[in-house]
Amino acid sequence: MTTNTEVLMALRDAEHTSVSAIKTYLRCPAQFAHRYVHRTEGSHRAVALVLGIAVHEALAAFHSHLAEGKGDPPVEVLLDVFSGCWRRMLIGNLPVRCDDLGAEQDKGVALLETFHREAPRPAQVLGVEIPFGLPLCDPDTGEVSDRLVVGALDAVVEDEQSRTVIIESKTAARSWPAVQLVHDPQVTLYRMAARALGFAAEPALQFH
């Protein structure tokens, strides 16, 4: 049986674009060119990226545990997954720029403990880390792009009102302002992907 990870890897092996690439281009075309065209090697990795990936992996384990009907996993399960990913992410050719790695790791632990204690539990988890390859069509000419937009939905759940909800988790310093929620392409593309995957015609989207 093919796993979601294998499907996502296959999609990424083909020529594609991503939500991150689109947002990078809109923010700074020069940065886009360095990262996605010239493949310029960076001097370091940001610790925020390492923290985000490790927390993300722990939250995927949390939702997978619920999806399998096992109920709430103990917080220690989340922390073990986080710590394992954190250690793996520190290994590599590019150093992680950070004055105090221990403090950043503690921040991740505190985030997960708060999440486990306070986050609302969905009525049902419909899927975790769900890959998508979304074709884009020019609304004026009808021309279809030769590259899919590839990504994965963190989790798709059903809430107590039986609504289908896409959950996207962020380790950001502050909540997104309302204007960003309205205009950010990630919101649009993730809802398009959920519709294309057959989850719901009008899925809700929550940023945690």
Side-chain angles (χ1 to χ4, degrees), residues 18-190:
S18 65
V19 174
S20 177
I22 292 169
K23 292 174 67 169
T24 301
Y25 181 81
L26 293 172
R27 183 175 62 249
C28 179
Q31 185 184 28
F32 174 90
H34 277 294
R35 182 177 298 175
Y36 297 101
V37 179
H38 308 306
R39 307 291 181 181
T40 307
E41 186 174 10
S43 60
H44 64 279
R45 288 176 293 155
V47 71
L49 175 63
V50 175
L51 179 67
I53 291 173
V55 169
H56 183 273
E57 192 165 306
L59 295 180
F62 172 83
H63 286 111
S64 294
H65 206 275
L66 294 180
E68 293 165 5
K70 299 177 181 178
D72 255 22
V75 68
E76 289 77 16
V77 171
L78 277 67
L79 299 183
D80 285 347
V81 173
F82 169 79
S83 297
C85 183
W86 176 267
R87 289 192 297 270
R88 293 195 306 274
M89 289 295 297
L90 294 182
I91 301 170
N93 294 327
L94 290 180
V96 176
R97 177 176 289 179
C98 180
D99 294 331
D100 191 340
L101 286 172
E104 292 297 320
Q105 186 175 7
D106 290 344
K107 185 188 298 182
V109 169
L111 282 170
L112 290 169
E113 288 176 339
T114 301
F115 173 88
H116 190 272
R117 184 173 61 251
E118 299 181 7
R121 273 43 172 179
Q124 183 181 3
V125 176
L126 305 177
V128 181
E129 292 297 312
I130 307 159
F132 64 83
L134 190 67
L136 291 182
C137 178
D138 188 304
D140 296 320
T141 67
E143 182 181 2
V144 179
S145 171
D146 59 353
R147 295 187 179 192
L148 297 176
V149 179
V150 170
L153 305 177
D154 284 358
V156 179
V157 307
E158 192 173 273
D159 67 11
E160 297 294 344
Q161 288 75 45
S162 299
R163 297 180 305 168
T164 299
V165 180
I166 308 163
I167 292 179
E168 174 68 11
S169 300
K170 299 288 187 185
T171 51
R174 59 187 62 86
S175 297
W176 281 18
V179 67
Q180 187 173 2
L181 288 170
V182 171
H183 295 290
D184 194 284
Q186 183 173 1
V187 177
T188 301
L189 287 166
Y190 277 26

